Amino acid sequence: MWISLLVLTLLAAVYWIRQRLAYWEKRGVPYVPPSFPHGNLGGFGKKLHMSAILQNCYKQLKSSGQPFGGIHFFINPVALLIDPDLIKTVLVKDFSYFHDRNLYYNERDDPLSHHLVAMEGTRWKNLRAKLTPTFTSGKMKLMFSTVTAVAEEFDRCMMNEIKTSPVVEMKDLLARFTTDIIGSVAFGLECNSLKDPEAKFRAMGRKVFQLSPYRALKIFLSAQFPKIARTLRVKLTQPDVAEFFMGAVKDTVEFRQINNVQRNDFMMLLMKMLKEQMEQDGTAGDLKDRITIEDVAAQAFVFFLAGFETSSTAMSFCLYELALNQELQDKARQNITDVMKQHSSITYEAVHEMKYIEMCINESMRKYPPITTLTRRVEKDYRVPDTDKVLQEGIMAAIPVYALHHDPEHFPNPEQFDPDRFTAEQEAKRHPFVYLPFGEGPRICIGLRFGMMQARIGLVYLLKHFRFTLAKDRMSVPLKITPSSTILTIDGGLWLNVEQL
């Protein structure tokens, strides 16, 4: 009897899996044939980065002429969006059908995972509205002096580095620079990672992004099967990382409350929200939307991670390309010199007048977008405009940012690094939804202005005082990408020859 039951269970499982893998075929949607158990993700994390896999799927599906096609992440069907107009509709016009990202979080067992990037529904909407004032251009001006103070220290650190050796590993150095900035702005703390590469904040930040193929698979499976993962109490934040960041936030909040410390930073806004909530205790309000110290820690944590890693990665790729293209590097340096003739010091206004620097950063994020894929979950059945196809509630829609950025229809000769793609004239000719390094719509990256500001400042200080060339014995052309990384990152570091000007 038990054997018969087992056989029936196995047959039912096989039938169910086959039905899942035939999902798009049965609906008459162009699809890339999947295989069990990876779906279309064979090689992910071992040989291929997710960006390369989805770029291959994108190329196959684009030839169908349809606005989207079908792929599978393991056994889960995913709609891969191809047409820029459909992408715009999903991210903006029909946002109410696609308002959540389908990222795994576990508020009960892993409170640091319940941050703004992963948060869903009205809790996300309400918290986003409260946090948005932190990232206005006015607030950026207030934070500017904090960033330039770290940049001055970065300058001194570079001088010391090249005294030891003219060949410098810039990827880690840039991450230490952005770690010190974000530590100051998000936590109000001096991380000192520029002075000490093994400083605690830097060590913990590095650990979060150290992904073995097993951990990358765990993160991906949790996102694909979140209910099962929460039932199994899966945590994605390493215990020592969670303990460190939770402790840092609690200590900072306590110190500021006791000593009445006032600062124009991210932590101050979070503390203000907590204080207002305490003052309103007993009044009407949705208890579900109340924030806790754990929520404060989660927001500071994600701001720290997103702020230091994506900005340092964007600067790393930009320096790599400028080291390869000396004419472009000279042009960027000249842009700084020309603007500085009109200003007595590096100010917020001066940095924003350096348009070619901004174009270099934009082209770097075009060729090497830190976040290579955007995801959205279908909240209710959605009929795709101008088709008879319906995206069913619960499935995921994926936007292949890397593939769009490397599509020759949108960006001719896409492997060439060409900042002139981002002149006002060139941008006006291009569909605005084929360039998405920060996402778009209501869930566009909240820290966009801050990320661009620190990348601008970092590059201005570096190019003003140093010349960079490729350390050819340490670097490969083209670059090798770390296959298991959640973001696009250089495998083996960025080794450059650095000459003081």
Side-chain angles (χ1 to χ4, degrees), residues 7 116 135 146 153 162 184 193 224 226 242 253 263 273 323 455 487:
V7 170
L116 192 67
F135 298 97
T146 302
E153 178 62 35
I162 61 176
S184 179
S193 65
Q224 293 303 299
V253 169
R263 283 174 57 111
M273 287 163 56
I487 68 171

Side-chain angles (χ1 to χ4, degrees), residues 254-271:
E254 186 179 352
F255 178 82
R256 290 193 183 191
Q257 287 174 339
I258 292 171
N259 297 282
N260 195 27
V261 175
Q262 301 293 320
R263 283 174 57 111
N264 286 309
D265 62 11
F266 187 61
M267 186 61 72
M268 205 70 237
L269 181 83
L270 293 171
M271 288 179 62

Side-chain angles (χ1 to χ4, degrees), residues 36 46 72 115 135 167 243 277 307 360 369 383:
F36 182 78
K46 294 179 181 177
H72 280 79
H115 46 66
F135 298 97
V167 181
E243 184 181 355
Q277 189 171 272
C360 288
R383 182 175 292 280

Side-chain angles (χ1 to χ4, degrees), residues 235 315 418 467:
K235 302 178 188 179
M315 284 189 282
D418 179 12
R467 178 176 296 282

Side-chain angles (χ1 to χ4, degrees), residues 55 314 317-318 321 358-372 400-408 410-422 427 430 434-438 488:
Q55 184 183 27
F317 284 120
C318 192
E321 289 289 349
E358 182 179 348
M359 287 158 61
C360 288
I361 297 169
N362 285 339
E363 173 65 349
S364 172
M365 291 191 295
R366 194 277 308 168
K367 191 173 178 185
Y368 309 100
I371 306 301
T372 63
V401 174
Y402 183 91
L404 288 165
H405 287 192
H406 286 255
D407 186 336
H410 307 313
F411 299 95
N413 196 6
E415 297 310 314
Q416 180 182 342
F417 183 82
D418 179 12
D420 286 335
R421 297 181 200 273
F422 289 91
E427 287 187 306
R430 197 163 50 233
V434 298
Y435 178 67
L436 300 165
F438 295 101
L488 211 63

Side-chain angles (χ1 to χ4, degrees), residues 103-106 109-110 113 208 211 215 218-220 222-223 229 233-239:
L103 297 178
Y104 176 73
Y105 64 88
N106 183 345
D109 304 300
D110 187 6
S113 68
V208 173
L211 290 185
R215 186 159 178 258
K218 180 182 174 184
I219 291 170
F220 205 82
S222 298
R233 310 192 79 148
V234 170
K235 302 178 188 179
L236 298 183
T237 313
Q238 302 99 314

Side-chain angles (χ1 to χ4, degrees), residues 14-29:
V14 168
Y15 176 77
W16 181 73
I17 290 168
R18 282 185 172 175
Q19 291 296 105
R20 293 287 283 179
L21 294 179
Y23 182 90
W24 295 115
E25 183 181 13
K26 287 194 299 180
R27 285 162 177 76
V29 172

Side-chain angles (χ1 to χ4, degrees), residues 133-353:
T134 318
F135 298 97
T136 60
S137 55
K139 286 291 198 300
M140 293 304 103
K141 284 185 181 181
L142 292 174
M143 295 179 191
F144 187 83
S145 60
T146 302
V147 180
T148 52
V150 179
E152 295 285 352
E153 178 62 35
F154 186 31
D155 212 31
R156 290 189 287 272
C157 182
M158 283 294 297
M159 301 282 192
N160 291 329
E161 286 284 334
I162 61 176
K163 285 176 186 175
T164 307
S165 168
V167 181
V168 180
E169 201 289 279
M170 290 299 301
K171 183 183 161 198
D172 184 63
L173 204 57
L174 286 164
R176 285 155 58 191
F177 166 60
T178 54
T179 293
D180 282 0
I181 291 173
I182 299 292
S184 179
V185 172
F187 293 87
L189 299 173
E190 289 188 16
C191 299
N192 291 318
S193 65
L194 280 169
K195 293 176 182 175
D196 176 14
E198 297 306 317
K200 197 72 172 175
F201 264 89
R202 177 65 193 122
M204 288 297 165
R206 191 188 296 119
K207 184 166 186 178
V208 173
F209 287 97
Q210 284 174 345
L211 290 185
S212 64
Y214 165 74
R215 186 159 178 258
L217 191 63
K218 180 182 174 184
I219 291 170
F220 205 82
L221 283 171
S222 298
Q224 293 303 299
F225 307 101
K227 291 180 180 178
I228 295 172
R230 287 190 193 105
T231 301
L232 296 174
R233 310 192 79 148
V234 170
K235 302 178 188 179
L236 298 183
T237 313
Q238 302 99 314
D240 54 342
V241 172
E243 184 181 355
F244 171 75
F245 279 100
M246 195 67 75
V249 168
K250 288 180 178 178
D251 290 347
T252 301
V253 169
E254 186 179 352
F255 178 82
R256 290 193 183 191
Q257 287 174 339
I258 292 171
N259 297 282
N260 195 27
V261 175
Q262 301 293 320
R263 283 174 57 111
N264 286 309
D265 62 11
F266 187 61
M267 186 61 72
M268 205 70 237
L269 181 83
L270 293 171
M271 288 179 62
K272 184 181 177 186
M273 287 163 56
L274 270 179
K275 184 180 178 183
E276 289 173 352
Q277 189 171 272
M278 288 170 66
E279 290 170 352
Q280 292 169 1
D281 271 351
T283 62
D286 191 346
L287 292 174
K288 290 181 182 178
D289 289 334
R290 301 177 76 77
I291 66 166
T292 64
I293 189 69
E294 286 77 18
D295 291 324
V296 168
Q299 310 326 312
F301 176 65
V302 77
F303 182 46
F304 175 79
L305 294 184
F308 97 78
E309 185 68 13
T310 54
S311 291
S312 65
T313 298
M315 284 189 282
S316 294
F317 284 120
C318 192
L319 275 185
Y320 168 79
E321 289 289 349
L322 293 178
L324 272 179
N325 300 277
Q326 289 298 308
E327 287 184 16
L328 300 183
Q329 187 178 149
D330 289 338
K331 190 173 178 179
R333 192 173 290 110
Q334 189 61 48
N335 182 221
I336 297 167
T337 303
D338 292 344
V339 171
M340 290 311 298
K341 287 176 183 175
Q342 313 300 320
H343 297 267
S344 57
S345 62
I346 296 176
T347 62
Y348 181 84
E349 290 74 20
V351 167
H352 279 76
E353 286 175 29

